[in-house]
Amino acid sequence: MKRFKKFYVELTSRCNLACTFCPPTHRATNYITIEQFTHTLDEIKPFTDFIYFHVKGEPLLHPHIDQLLDIAHEKGFKVNITSNGTLLHKAGPKLMNKPALRQMNFSLHSFDGHEGSQDKDLYIAKVLNFVREAVAQSDLIVSLRLWNLDMDNATNLERSRNREILGYIEEEFQLDYRIDEKVEPGKGIKIAERIFINMDHEFEWPALNAEEDFGPGFCHGLRNQAGVLVDGTVIPCCLDGEGVINLGNIHKDSFQNIIEGERATNIVDGFSRREVVEELCRKCGYRKRFNHKANGFAAKPEESVTV
């Protein structure tokens, strides 16, 4: 039976921020119910042990995230959460000492990406306070992310908006070096026990109105990852935030039937031939980051942490 290294379960399509780097979803605002979540985990359990509370939306907005983590633990899953970190004052206590929670990824670039952000000092303090407490109480892994570099700044990471945040982190962890002198775009460095920082170029979501590339390509979608949106739509990877490649609905058909269906099979077989069969995939810049040396591939968004 096919096994996925990761499976993305979207808890909500709603986000509390409007970041310039993340296009708003055109889908209806929705939250996964306890029953839908339980059913989804039952469907995907034979295929994966690792789930990610992320596609679009802010997972800490879900009012029952603590219950979802408990259910995930009961069913034998390990959970990674990607968050902008602005809701830790409310949701943080619900995350503490949850055995299912393996890793928290904080998108620190969200603060400057959202035009209405205020009080950076308080924002960073909340995130770092949570990190300090959570890591001390559990085996949680943390990734602090600044994915806002552009190509012109690839060798000049001294932009003021990042330097300020990096300064906070350097002071918090009493580092005797400047992070931006050590880190390389696309790679993570360890700054403390189970705490990493990642810096990378600004991420661009694929869209149907983007330029199409008919050249050869490869992707890990449906090979080592898949996902489901909050309404049950099964998608091939975490980059299909609008469910353009709708493989079926996990609440109307079994997950096994869906991933063994014609559309899913054509995607996998196509990439095996280095042929890109879906229009959205031909407009995805992330697949261009992959290389084919020794069957190794460049990191995908959720694989860039060196853990």
Side-chain angles (χ1 to χ4, degrees):
M1 181 174 290
K2 179 182 291 189
R3 296 282 294 176
F4 297 99
K5 293 181 179 179
K6 58 192 70 175
F7 195 97
Y8 295 87
V9 180
E10 185 182 65
L11 303 190
T12 177
S13 54
R14 178 173 175 254
C15 187
N16 62 315
L17 301 184
C19 298
T20 56
F21 56 81
C22 188
T25 181
H26 298 292
R27 296 179 284 125
T29 298
N30 204 352
Y31 293 83
I32 197 168
T33 67
I34 297 295
E35 293 75 17
Q36 290 170 335
F37 182 76
T38 301
H39 173 75
T40 296
L41 296 199
D42 287 340
E43 284 291 319
I44 67 175
K45 181 55 185 174
F47 301 90
T48 189
D49 296 318
F50 297 94
I51 52 178
Y52 290 67
F53 288 175
H54 181 61
V55 179
K56 285 288 191 74
E58 168 53 49
L60 299 193
L61 276 170
H62 200 289
H64 306 301
I65 192 169
D66 50 347
Q67 295 181 47
L68 302 184
L69 285 168
D70 289 340
I71 293 169
H73 176 63
E74 291 169 5
K75 295 185 177 296
F77 288 94
K78 288 297 183 181
V79 179
N80 287 22
I81 297 178
T82 297
S83 170
N84 58 45
T86 59
L87 301 175
L88 285 172
H89 59 292
K90 294 182 178 180
K94 297 181 179 181
L95 306 177
M96 286 294 178
N97 295 310
K98 291 297 184 182
L101 186 56
R102 172 185 176 270
Q103 179 168 322
M104 287 288 301
N105 307 314
F106 291 107
S107 301
L108 301 183
H109 49 280
S110 299
F111 185 90
D112 289 305
H114 177 66
E115 293 182 357
S117 294
Q118 297 179 351
D119 200 342
K120 184 180 290 187
D121 291 8
L122 180 60
Y123 167 66
I124 296 299
K126 286 181 179 179
V127 173
L128 296 183
N129 285 341
F130 172 85
V131 170
R132 185 191 313 111
E133 183 178 356
V135 170
Q137 295 182 13
S138 69
D139 295 327
L140 182 69
I141 299 167
V142 174
S143 170
L144 303 172
R145 297 177 171 180
L146 285 168
W147 287 2
N148 57 3
L149 308 179
D150 57 52
M151 295 306 296
D152 294 335
N153 285 304
T155 58
N156 178 18
L157 309 184
E158 289 291 335
R159 292 182 298 168
S160 59
R161 61 181 184 176
N162 282 355
R163 177 92 294 276
E164 187 176 1
I165 291 177
L166 294 176
Y168 285 119
I169 296 172
E170 290 160 0
E171 181 178 356
E172 170 70 22
F173 296 100
Q174 299 181 344
L175 302 181
D176 59 0
Y177 58 87
R178 289 165 67 97
I179 293 171
D180 37 2
E181 294 176 353
K182 297 265 189 182
V183 72
E184 297 179 27
K187 296 182 179 180
I189 64 169
K190 183 178 179 179
I191 59 173
E193 186 64 27
R194 288 179 280 114
I195 301 174
F196 298 79
I197 188 163
N198 290 76
M199 300 181 71
D200 206 345
H201 300 113
E202 184 172 311
F203 173 67
E204 183 177 353
W205 288 86
L208 290 177
N209 59 0
E211 182 180 355
E212 195 158 2
D213 177 6
F214 288 93
F218 182 88
C219 181
H220 292 288
L222 293 178
R223 193 172 298 266
N224 72 6
Q225 69 163 280
V228 59
L229 300 179
V230 67
D231 66 353
T233 299
V234 176
I235 53 177
C237 75
C238 61
L239 307 184
D240 187 4
E242 291 300 295
V244 173
I245 307 176
N246 184 343
L247 301 176
N249 193 293
I250 204 167
H251 302 309
K252 299 178 181 178
D253 197 359
S254 73
F255 180 67
Q256 182 166 350
N257 284 345
I258 292 171
I259 61 167
E260 292 177 353
E262 181 178 3
R263 190 171 189 181
T265 300
N266 287 342
I267 292 172
V268 175
D269 290 348
F271 281 129
S272 295
R273 303 187 302 268
R274 302 302 187 261
E275 178 184 342
V276 187
V277 301
E278 289 283 346
E279 180 183 0
L280 185 68
C281 299
R282 292 194 294 270
K283 297 180 175 182
C284 177
Y286 237 97
R287 68 177 177 83
K288 298 178 183 179
R289 299 189 180 194
F290 300 146
N291 63 74
H292 305 153
K293 295 180 180 180
N295 293 321
F297 300 94
K300 290 204 66 180
E302 296 298 331
E303 293 173 343
S304 63
V305 183
T306 52
V307 297

